[in-house]
Amino acid sequence: QVQLVESGGGLVQAGGSLRLSCAASRSIFSINAMGWYRQAPGKQRELVARITSGGSTNYADSVKGRFTISRDNAKNTVYLQMNSLKPEDTAVYYCNAVVVSLYEYDYWGQGTQVTVSS
């Protein structure tokens, strides 16, 4: 089991920055991959950024060059630094953890709202 707690959402003007944090209840060394997803009203949840236990990252095309995912193993925390925010980045952002053992298990945080005003 992995509990995930997100923080750092809020209201920001276009062009501004926010940093989201996702604290895991256990060592993230044991988690195969962690990522951030977002869901805007009326839209499907989409992958924003992902980082594996080996440090490999991938990003949605819409956020490349603006967002950076990183991890602090000592704090069991993954971050999403969001710069040059746009109104279309407005969504609920969810932290995700994938643990692969005999099966693949997905864990989700409760979500944090990010609102970017124009």
Side-chain angles (χ1 to χ4, degrees):
Q1 282 278 10
V2 181
Q3 282 78 49
L4 302 171
V5 179
E6 301 110 331
S7 60
L11 173 64
V12 65
Q13 287 189 332
S17 298
L18 283 174
R19 187 176 81 157
L20 305 183
S21 300
C22 173
S25 61
R26 71 186 221 195
S27 171
I28 60 176
F29 277 118
S30 65
I31 298 174
N32 295 82
M34 293 188 72
W36 289 94
Y37 288 71
R38 67 186 180 187
Q39 188 166 20
K43 295 188 176 181
Q44 288 190 331
R45 191 173 296 190
E46 63 175 357
L47 174 68
V48 176
R50 191 169 179 260
I51 185 167
T52 68
S53 56
S56 298
T57 59
N58 62 288
Y59 297 89
D61 288 342
S62 59
V63 307
K64 282 181 182 176
R66 300 188 297 122
F67 291 11
T68 303
I69 189 169
S70 62
R71 55 195 291 160
D72 185 333
N73 294 330
K75 295 182 178 180
N76 296 330
T77 299
V78 171
Y79 303 98
L80 184 68
Q81 178 66 44
M82 305 186 294
N83 298 327
S84 302
L85 282 160
K86 304 175 180 179
E88 51 263 44
D89 295 317
T90 295
V92 178
Y93 284 69
Y94 296 91
C95 182
N96 168 262
V98 176
V99 177
V100 180
S101 55
L102 188 60
Y103 302 99
E104 181 172 307
Y105 298 91
D106 264 281
Y107 301 95
W108 294 91
Q110 80 285 356
T112 185
Q113 176 71 46
V114 171
T115 303
V116 184
S117 63
S118 57

